[in-house]
Amino acid sequence: AKANPMGKGLGASPGAACGKIVFTAEDAKEWASRGEKVVLVRLETSPEDIEGMKAAQGILTVRGGMTSHAAVVARGMGKCCVSGCGAINMDEANKQFTLAGKTYHEGDWMSLDGSTGNIYDGAMPTVDANVGGDFGRIMAWADKFRRLKVRTNADTPADAARARSLGAQGIGLCRTEHMFFEADRIAAVREMILADTKEQREKALAKILPMQQGDFEAMYKALEGKPMTVRYLDPPLHEFVPHVDMKEEIDELAKNLGITSEEVIHKINALHESNPMMGHRGCRLAVTYPEIAEMQTRAVLQAAIDVTRECGYNIVPEIMIPLVGSKKELAFVKSIVDETAKKVFEEQGMTLEYHVGTMIEIPRAAVTADEIAEEAEFFSFGTNDLTQMTFGFSRDDAGKFLGAYYDNKIFESDPFARLDTDGVGKLVQMAAKLGRQTRPNLKLGICGEHGGDPSSVMFCHKVGLNYVSCSPFRVPIARLAAAHAAILEKMGK
Ligand code: PEP
Ligand code: MG
């Protein structure tokens, strides 16, 4: 059927969705529990929306780019998402919006195409994805030719299992902060973030440890011995701290921390950052609060030991430190990992081989990759942040102005979706070369969203990376692109 879209946003997470419009995560959950198909329409999403996103067929946001919260989380879930449709005039209070001159109310039907970003009026029929038959045969051919390994970005046991079924050879990025989006878990993380003292923080961490360890165990089991890179906490604070007007959450936090709600609000205000994407996140968190890295090391290693004992897999944990910009920063966090590992091995009466590596996602890390490789056993290029920081384009806000760049032929494509090989790619290539000068067997991968974009995958092949890691539903595309790259190379092209 041919249909004319009524609007367009960014194709943030592939797939098709069709459902009735709802405006809040609670409504999405409630309507879905009655058997309704819904599309969740939000200005932007935050961790509070996760349950609603799960319940919806698809997600549409007014704000945000290709690597904003809605986009990254939806891709991880394998859920259709169109983000950054700035043409929508939103009226949340009255549960309605206008687009292309028409007003849409709660309950009206709409359809989304998460690949093109097209938005359609009314209900369009959709079919479920399937990787069997001829498709499976073509994938098997692709696998024969490719040199690049294809891993997936997955944060839950369910995602890990699905990614395996789509042909992923392991997990290249487990974003541990994504393991805490659920309501009962996010409370403990908020407690940790807002803790004043080491004791308070350790109390919150003690709640988090068993959840984290349990998830890692389930993921190691789902992977059946295939590798997993666990990325230590990297929460941009604005995505985790509740808004000061969220009374229920604030009161609960106050109770858990043993302080008044006013004091919680005061703390939240004090934590406010002008630019959270460049704020207190990534390894900066472990530098200020080493106990967080200690807890995560315990969770990874104890889970690996338990599953090795139970299932006999040869698990070699890969621990990845995010947002590193200097060798000393990495050395500091690595020493916490190593000291904790020693303790865990003594307690358990067993040792495991494990590797500590880093993400290369800050330009300084790329420029000093030869030094960083003295500490890092592997690199994974975080091209979402590397693109953000190389261009100086905020991941959360670029959607607002990039349109003018396409219109004026300054850019042909979104650099957050297709790797800017001339600039960001040059940094990748340079860091790969410098890193291998120091450590010839340095393992190199990419885990930014570009890892699932065909032209970017071909670039990764050319510059000699070992693997790409992308969201689960893009694994087949990455397998195919990796084969293309290998075949073209053979043909001398
Ligand atoms: C990246 O920056 O490319 C990355 C994979 O990490 P995140 O998107 O979680 O910042
Ligand atoms: Mg990053």
Side-chain angles (χ1 to χ4, degrees), residues 192-209:
M192 177 193 81
I193 292 174
L194 292 180
D196 262 334
T197 62
K198 193 160 182 239
E199 287 70 48
Q200 275 180 350
R201 201 158 26 251
E202 280 176 344
K203 194 174 135 228
L205 288 169
K207 291 186 195 168
I208 297 173
L209 174 60

PDB file of all heavy atoms in Angstrom, residues 192-209:
ATOM      1  N   MET A 192      22.157   6.049  45.681  1.00  0.00           N
ATOM      2  CA  MET A 192      23.613   6.065  45.556  1.00  0.00           C
ATOM      3  C   MET A 192      24.103   7.442  45.074  1.00  0.00           C
ATOM      4  O   MET A 192      25.059   7.993  45.613  1.00  0.00           O
ATOM      5  CB  MET A 192      24.029   4.988  44.560  1.00  0.00           C
ATOM      6  CG  MET A 192      25.499   4.943  44.275  1.00  0.00           C
ATOM      7  SD  MET A 192      25.819   3.924  42.841  1.00  0.00           S
ATOM      8  CE  MET A 192      25.467   5.067  41.523  1.00  0.00           C
ATOM      9  N   ILE A 193      23.408   7.980  44.064  1.00  0.00           N
ATOM     10  CA  ILE A 193      23.829   9.259  43.498  1.00  0.00           C
ATOM     11  C   ILE A 193      23.703  10.384  44.532  1.00  0.00           C
ATOM     12  O   ILE A 193      24.547  11.271  44.611  1.00  0.00           O
ATOM     13  CB  ILE A 193      22.991   9.604  42.238  1.00  0.00           C
ATOM     14  CG1 ILE A 193      23.325   8.636  41.096  1.00  0.00           C
ATOM     15  CG2 ILE A 193      23.237  11.043  41.778  1.00  0.00           C
ATOM     16  CD1 ILE A 193      22.455   8.793  39.868  1.00  0.00           C
ATOM     17  N   LEU A 194      22.650  10.314  45.341  1.00  0.00           N
ATOM     18  CA  LEU A 194      22.394  11.418  46.264  1.00  0.00           C
ATOM     19  C   LEU A 194      23.050  11.237  47.634  1.00  0.00           C
ATOM     20  O   LEU A 194      22.953  12.110  48.490  1.00  0.00           O
ATOM     21  CB  LEU A 194      20.890  11.609  46.442  1.00  0.00           C
ATOM     22  CG  LEU A 194      20.125  12.118  45.203  1.00  0.00           C
ATOM     23  CD1 LEU A 194      18.659  12.252  45.517  1.00  0.00           C
ATOM     24  CD2 LEU A 194      20.669  13.446  44.710  1.00  0.00           C
ATOM     25  N   ALA A 195      23.714  10.090  47.819  1.00  0.00           N
ATOM     26  CA  ALA A 195      24.324   9.843  49.128  1.00  0.00           C
ATOM     27  C   ALA A 195      25.377  10.914  49.437  1.00  0.00           C
ATOM     28  O   ALA A 195      26.115  11.349  48.559  1.00  0.00           O
ATOM     29  CB  ALA A 195      24.962   8.460  49.135  1.00  0.00           C
ATOM     30  N   ASP A 196      25.408  11.307  50.703  1.00  0.00           N
ATOM     31  CA  ASP A 196      26.368  12.317  51.140  1.00  0.00           C
ATOM     32  C   ASP A 196      27.641  11.680  51.643  1.00  0.00           C
ATOM     33  O   ASP A 196      28.734  12.204  51.470  1.00  0.00           O
ATOM     34  CB  ASP A 196      25.778  13.086  52.333  1.00  0.00           C
ATOM     35  CG  ASP A 196      25.165  14.385  51.881  1.00  0.00           C
ATOM     36  OD1 ASP A 196      25.605  14.888  50.839  1.00  0.00           O
ATOM     37  OD2 ASP A 196      24.253  14.871  52.576  1.00  0.00           O
ATOM     38  N   THR A 197      27.460  10.547  52.305  1.00  0.00           N
ATOM     39  CA  THR A 197      28.605   9.932  52.966  1.00  0.00           C
ATOM     40  C   THR A 197      28.907   8.589  52.313  1.00  0.00           C
ATOM     41  O   THR A 197      28.059   8.018  51.614  1.00  0.00           O
ATOM     42  CB  THR A 197      28.283   9.650  54.439  1.00  0.00           C
ATOM     43  OG1 THR A 197      27.180   8.725  54.465  1.00  0.00           O
ATOM     44  CG2 THR A 197      27.886  10.919  55.182  1.00  0.00           C
ATOM     45  N   LYS A 198      30.111   8.115  52.597  1.00  0.00           N
ATOM     46  CA  LYS A 198      30.510   6.821  52.057  1.00  0.00           C
ATOM     47  C   LYS A 198      29.581   5.722  52.595  1.00  0.00           C
ATOM     48  O   LYS A 198      29.213   4.794  51.878  1.00  0.00           O
ATOM     49  CB  LYS A 198      31.963   6.553  52.449  1.00  0.00           C
ATOM     50  CG  LYS A 198      32.576   5.410  51.715  1.00  0.00           C
ATOM     51  CD  LYS A 198      34.099   5.443  51.733  1.00  0.00           C
ATOM     52  CE  LYS A 198      34.647   4.292  50.924  1.00  0.00           C
ATOM     53  NZ  LYS A 198      35.499   3.376  51.612  1.00  0.00           N
ATOM     54  N   GLU A 199      29.185   5.857  53.875  1.00  0.00           N
ATOM     55  CA  GLU A 199      28.305   4.844  54.493  1.00  0.00           C
ATOM     56  C   GLU A 199      26.972   4.765  53.743  1.00  0.00           C
ATOM     57  O   GLU A 199      26.496   3.693  53.410  1.00  0.00           O
ATOM     58  CB  GLU A 199      28.033   5.152  55.976  1.00  0.00           C
ATOM     59  CG  GLU A 199      29.192   4.907  56.913  1.00  0.00           C
ATOM     60  CD  GLU A 199      30.315   5.908  56.726  1.00  0.00           C
ATOM     61  OE1 GLU A 199      30.016   7.128  56.676  1.00  0.00           O
ATOM     62  OE2 GLU A 199      31.482   5.497  56.588  1.00  0.00           O
ATOM     63  N   GLN A 200      26.382   5.953  53.511  1.00  0.00           N
ATOM     64  CA  GLN A 200      25.098   5.983  52.785  1.00  0.00           C
ATOM     65  C   GLN A 200      25.258   5.350  51.413  1.00  0.00           C
ATOM     66  O   GLN A 200      24.423   4.572  50.956  1.00  0.00           O
ATOM     67  CB  GLN A 200      24.635   7.434  52.577  1.00  0.00           C
ATOM     68  CG  GLN A 200      23.860   8.006  53.747  1.00  0.00           C
ATOM     69  CD  GLN A 200      23.433   9.454  53.449  1.00  0.00           C
ATOM     70  OE1 GLN A 200      23.863  10.062  52.473  1.00  0.00           O
ATOM     71  NE2 GLN A 200      22.590   9.999  54.301  1.00  0.00           N
ATOM     72  N   ARG A 201      26.374   5.689  50.771  1.00  0.00           N
ATOM     73  CA  ARG A 201      26.590   5.170  49.423  1.00  0.00           C
ATOM     74  C   ARG A 201      26.774   3.658  49.455  1.00  0.00           C
ATOM     75  O   ARG A 201      26.242   2.922  48.633  1.00  0.00           O
ATOM     76  CB  ARG A 201      27.792   5.859  48.787  1.00  0.00           C
ATOM     77  CG  ARG A 201      27.801   5.774  47.293  1.00  0.00           C
ATOM     78  CD  ARG A 201      28.638   6.840  46.621  1.00  0.00           C
ATOM     79  NE  ARG A 201      29.689   7.349  47.441  1.00  0.00           N
ATOM     80  CZ  ARG A 201      29.707   8.568  47.967  1.00  0.00           C
ATOM     81  NH1 ARG A 201      28.728   9.401  47.725  1.00  0.00           N
ATOM     82  NH2 ARG A 201      30.705   8.959  48.729  1.00  0.00           N
ATOM     83  N   GLU A 202      27.506   3.189  50.446  1.00  0.00           N
ATOM     84  CA  GLU A 202      27.735   1.746  50.528  1.00  0.00           C
ATOM     85  C   GLU A 202      26.452   0.994  50.834  1.00  0.00           C
ATOM     86  O   GLU A 202      26.244  -0.119  50.364  1.00  0.00           O
ATOM     87  CB  GLU A 202      28.855   1.443  51.531  1.00  0.00           C
ATOM     88  CG  GLU A 202      30.203   1.685  50.846  1.00  0.00           C
ATOM     89  CD  GLU A 202      31.411   1.523  51.736  1.00  0.00           C
ATOM     90  OE1 GLU A 202      31.243   1.521  52.975  1.00  0.00           O
ATOM     91  OE2 GLU A 202      32.528   1.424  51.176  1.00  0.00           O
ATOM     92  N   LYS A 203      25.565   1.641  51.573  1.00  0.00           N
ATOM     93  CA  LYS A 203      24.264   1.017  51.872  1.00  0.00           C
ATOM     94  C   LYS A 203      23.470   0.859  50.556  1.00  0.00           C
ATOM     95  O   LYS A 203      22.880  -0.197  50.293  1.00  0.00           O
ATOM     96  CB  LYS A 203      23.496   1.903  52.860  1.00  0.00           C
ATOM     97  CG  LYS A 203      22.317   1.221  53.491  1.00  0.00           C
ATOM     98  CD  LYS A 203      21.679   2.096  54.569  1.00  0.00           C
ATOM     99  CE  LYS A 203      20.173   2.083  54.425  1.00  0.00           C
ATOM    100  NZ  LYS A 203      19.522   3.380  54.466  1.00  0.00           N
ATOM    101  N   ALA A 204      23.487   1.896  49.744  1.00  0.00           N
ATOM    102  CA  ALA A 204      22.782   1.816  48.458  1.00  0.00           C
ATOM    103  C   ALA A 204      23.458   0.790  47.552  1.00  0.00           C
ATOM    104  O   ALA A 204      22.783  -0.008  46.878  1.00  0.00           O
ATOM    105  CB  ALA A 204      22.762   3.187  47.788  1.00  0.00           C
ATOM    106  N   LEU A 205      24.777   0.778  47.543  1.00  0.00           N
ATOM    107  CA  LEU A 205      25.509  -0.161  46.682  1.00  0.00           C
ATOM    108  C   LEU A 205      25.238  -1.611  47.092  1.00  0.00           C
ATOM    109  O   LEU A 205      25.180  -2.499  46.243  1.00  0.00           O
ATOM    110  CB  LEU A 205      27.012   0.126  46.736  1.00  0.00           C
ATOM    111  CG  LEU A 205      27.446   1.408  46.010  1.00  0.00           C
ATOM    112  CD1 LEU A 205      28.889   1.763  46.335  1.00  0.00           C
ATOM    113  CD2 LEU A 205      27.282   1.252  44.502  1.00  0.00           C
ATOM    114  N   ALA A 206      25.042  -1.818  48.399  1.00  0.00           N
ATOM    115  CA  ALA A 206      24.759  -3.175  48.864  1.00  0.00           C
ATOM    116  C   ALA A 206      23.405  -3.661  48.321  1.00  0.00           C
ATOM    117  O   ALA A 206      23.195  -4.859  48.132  1.00  0.00           O
ATOM    118  CB  ALA A 206      24.773  -3.218  50.391  1.00  0.00           C
ATOM    119  N   LYS A 207      22.495  -2.721  48.069  1.00  0.00           N
ATOM    120  CA  LYS A 207      21.205  -3.113  47.471  1.00  0.00           C
ATOM    121  C   LYS A 207      21.390  -3.433  45.992  1.00  0.00           C
ATOM    122  O   LYS A 207      20.711  -4.285  45.423  1.00  0.00           O
ATOM    123  CB  LYS A 207      20.195  -1.956  47.583  1.00  0.00           C
ATOM    124  CG  LYS A 207      19.720  -1.648  48.973  1.00  0.00           C
ATOM    125  CD  LYS A 207      18.618  -0.586  48.895  1.00  0.00           C
ATOM    126  CE  LYS A 207      18.384   0.016  50.280  1.00  0.00           C
ATOM    127  NZ  LYS A 207      17.548   1.228  50.216  1.00  0.00           N
ATOM    128  N   ILE A 208      22.305  -2.695  45.364  1.00  0.00           N
ATOM    129  CA  ILE A 208      22.479  -2.833  43.916  1.00  0.00           C
ATOM    130  C   ILE A 208      23.260  -4.106  43.558  1.00  0.00           C
ATOM    131  O   ILE A 208      22.953  -4.779  42.570  1.00  0.00           O
ATOM    132  CB  ILE A 208      23.215  -1.590  43.356  1.00  0.00           C
ATOM    133  CG1 ILE A 208      22.350  -0.339  43.586  1.00  0.00           C
ATOM    134  CG2 ILE A 208      23.518  -1.749  41.885  1.00  0.00           C
ATOM    135  CD1 ILE A 208      23.034   0.968  43.230  1.00  0.00           C
ATOM    136  N   LEU A 209      24.252  -4.449  44.391  1.00  0.00           N
ATOM    137  CA  LEU A 209      25.140  -5.581  44.065  1.00  0.00           C
ATOM    138  C   LEU A 209      24.397  -6.869  43.700  1.00  0.00           C
ATOM    139  O   LEU A 209      24.662  -7.449  42.646  1.00  0.00           O
ATOM    140  CB  LEU A 209      26.131  -5.810  45.217  1.00  0.00           C
ATOM    141  CG  LEU A 209      27.041  -7.033  45.100  1.00  0.00           C
ATOM    142  CD1 LEU A 209      27.928  -6.983  43.865  1.00  0.00           C
ATOM    143  CD2 LEU A 209      27.939  -7.183  46.342  1.00  0.00           C
TER     144      LEU A 209
END
